[in-house]
Amino acid sequence: MIRINDLSKEYETKKGSVIGVDRVNLTINEGEVFGIVGYSGAGKSSLLRCINLLERPTSGKIEVNGLDLTKLRGEQLRKARLKIGMIFQHFYLISQKTVAENIAFALKAADTPKEKIATRVLELLEMVGLTDKKDVYPAQLSGGQKQRVGIARALANNPSVLLCDEATSALDPNTTLSILRLLKKINRELNITIVLITHEMNVVKEICDRMAVMQDGRVVEEGMVYDIFSNPQADLTKEFISSVVSFEVPQSILDQVTGRIVKVLFKGNVAGEGVISDMVQNFDVRGNFLHGSIEYIQEVPLGLFLMEIQGQPENITRAITYMEGRGAQVEVVRSGH
Ligand SMILES: Nc1ncnc2c1ncn2[C@@H]1O[C@H](COP(=O)(O)OP(=O)(O)OP(=O)(O)O)[C@@H](O)[C@H]1O
């Protein structure tokens, strides 16, 4: 478990002090995948780097598995850090060393007995699917393969936590997906807690259990990914969500619509289209879809529909009540004219 208590990080610059992280409190549970999102400059990297003390916080506390890292120095801190792996957007592999040597480097740094290094390197290569690239140099690898080496190196010393700093931002969408699946597999099979920072909501949607949204060094919203996607509170969160789930309908279309416009949300396994067609049949109203999508957030469906309902006002009201009774969340966007 990671406990971040009232953590602040200020940078001293020639122009005065700059706040990177501003009094953040977060608890990240053991075995979960936690995403931190925010625009550039929001403080994500600063916060992530404070978790393994790559940056020393100006104030506050970081506890990893019950150990207050801010109290540690020297050898004790070095040892504690070995249990926190990290991967980076630009991989940071040593170009003069082969794939196997890059991974062995992390094992040597942890004083692993020489005779154990070769076996462990092979184990790690197998885990990340790169057994055949053992003796190749980083320059001969694709971006996705380089990140796999980065992951193997980060896992070398059996960490309990893996920090991912924009780990897929330099990769194309297919490679991103394969790396995210690998991270999820590692999380499940090795029970490693993963904290990742990203500006892409698709990354969060794909693998995170919980998330936090940062702005100006602060956490503005935090919760289960599914809850946040289905009911974002902060304006910034709504903006981020709209990159995945959007209700933008051209004004020209809205101008032609005269009925009541409603946003209908179905969570989980409620079959949205079925409820809507039952409603149309039962209440003498007509439904006209303006927008609709079903997103899968960690395999749980979230159905979102924007629709116009036409009919007698009392029938429309009864129809909406009916949909709510069947588990939908309905919001009237425009009452109609
Ligand atoms: N070493 C540093 N010296 C001075 N200011 C810094 C330093 N590192 C970060 N900052 C400042 O701290 C604030 C937060 O930056 P940070 O890099 O943590 O944000 P971020 O959300 O990770 O953004 P990005 O995605 O662009 O890295 C910014 O105002 C930034 O300019």
Side-chain angles (χ1 to χ4, degrees), residues 227-289:
D227 295 344
I228 288 188
F229 268 74
S230 54
N231 191 18
Q233 300 296 313
D235 287 343
L236 179 67
T237 315
K238 289 178 188 163
E239 213 172 291
F240 270 106
I241 303 293
S242 70
S243 68
V244 177
V245 181
S246 170
F247 276 112
E248 290 301 314
V249 175
Q251 190 57 43
S252 56
I253 304 256
L254 289 179
D255 288 345
Q256 294 164 25
V257 172
T258 54
R260 201 176 299 188
I261 299 178
V262 291
K263 252 185 206 178
V264 190
L265 201 113
F266 292 98
K267 290 186 188 179
N269 289 315
V270 182
E273 297 93 328
V275 174
I276 290 172
S277 67
D278 288 352
M279 166 199 83
V280 169
Q281 273 177 16
N282 291 338
F283 294 94
D284 193 24
V285 291
R286 283 183 305 282
N288 173 22
F289 285 107

Side-chain angles (χ1 to χ4, degrees), residues 264-267 270 275 320 322-330:
V264 190
L265 201 113
F266 292 98
K267 290 186 188 179
V270 182
V275 174
I320 290 175
Y322 170 78
M323 285 197 288
E324 287 172 338
R326 292 210 30 201
Q329 237 172 273
V330 186

Side-chain angles (χ1 to χ4, degrees), residues 91-308:
F91 325 120
Y92 298 137
L93 304 179
I94 306 166
S95 57
Q96 302 86 345
K97 290 187 187 290
T98 64
V99 165
E101 287 164 354
N102 263 280
I103 301 168
F105 191 74
L107 290 160
K108 283 181 192 154
D111 308 322
T112 310
K114 231 177 178 173
E115 63 280 9
K116 292 204 171 145
I117 290 183
T119 337
R120 180 70 182 140
V121 167
L122 286 180
E123 235 172 66
L124 290 157
L125 283 171
E126 199 178 325
M127 193 182 302
V128 300
L130 279 187
T131 310
D132 57 333
K133 300 289 181 197
K134 180 174 167 280
D135 299 316
V136 154
Y137 286 88
Q140 297 162 271
L141 299 175
S142 69
Q145 289 167 338
K146 284 182 193 160
Q147 194 56 290
R148 283 171 190 266
V149 180
I151 293 171
R153 182 185 55 188
L155 297 181
N157 298 308
N158 297 308
S160 58
V161 173
L162 178 63
L163 306 178
C164 309
D165 188 349
E166 296 278 4
T168 55
S169 297
L171 306 174
D172 65 53
N174 279 340
T175 314
T176 292
L177 204 59
S178 75
I179 293 294
L180 294 178
R181 290 199 175 133
L182 175 61
L183 290 175
K184 191 78 201 173
K185 178 179 120 170
I186 287 164
N187 163 255
R188 282 195 182 140
E189 290 179 8
L190 306 177
N191 196 36
I192 292 181
T193 308
I194 296 184
V195 186
L196 63 86
I197 62 172
T198 181
H199 56 274
E200 291 172 281
M201 287 307 268
N202 274 320
V203 168
V204 172
K205 191 187 91 174
E206 198 60 39
I207 64 163
C208 295
D209 304 308
R210 287 198 306 132
M211 64 181 284
V213 182
M214 282 189 82
Q215 185 174 31
D216 299 331
R218 308 217 65 176
V219 168
V220 295
E221 189 159 355
E222 181 201 340
M224 298 292 294
V225 170
Y226 194 90
D227 295 344
I228 288 188
F229 268 74
S230 54
N231 191 18
Q233 300 296 313
D235 287 343
L236 179 67
T237 315
K238 289 178 188 163
E239 213 172 291
F240 270 106
I241 303 293
S242 70
S243 68
V244 177
V245 181
S246 170
F247 276 112
E248 290 301 314
V249 175
Q251 190 57 43
S252 56
I253 304 256
L254 289 179
D255 288 345
Q256 294 164 25
V257 172
T258 54
R260 201 176 299 188
I261 299 178
V262 291
K263 252 185 206 178
V264 190
L265 201 113
F266 292 98
K267 290 186 188 179
N269 289 315
V270 182
E273 297 93 328
V275 174
I276 290 172
S277 67
D278 288 352
M279 166 199 83
V280 169
Q281 273 177 16
N282 291 338
F283 294 94
D284 193 24
V285 291
R286 283 183 305 282
N288 173 22
F289 285 107
L290 302 172
H291 195 101
S293 74
I294 298 178
E295 291 296 329
Y296 288 86
I297 296 163
Q298 296 235 11
E299 293 164 22
V300 182
L302 175 66
L304 294 136
F305 302 94
L306 187 68
M307 59 187 298
E308 175 198 21

Side-chain angles (χ1 to χ4, degrees), residues 11-13 18-20 38-47 55 166 197:
Y11 297 99
E12 295 307 327
T13 69
V18 175
I19 295 180
Y39 288 124
S40 185
K44 308 180 296 293
S45 296
S46 302
L47 178 60
E55 297 282 3
E166 296 278 4
I197 62 172

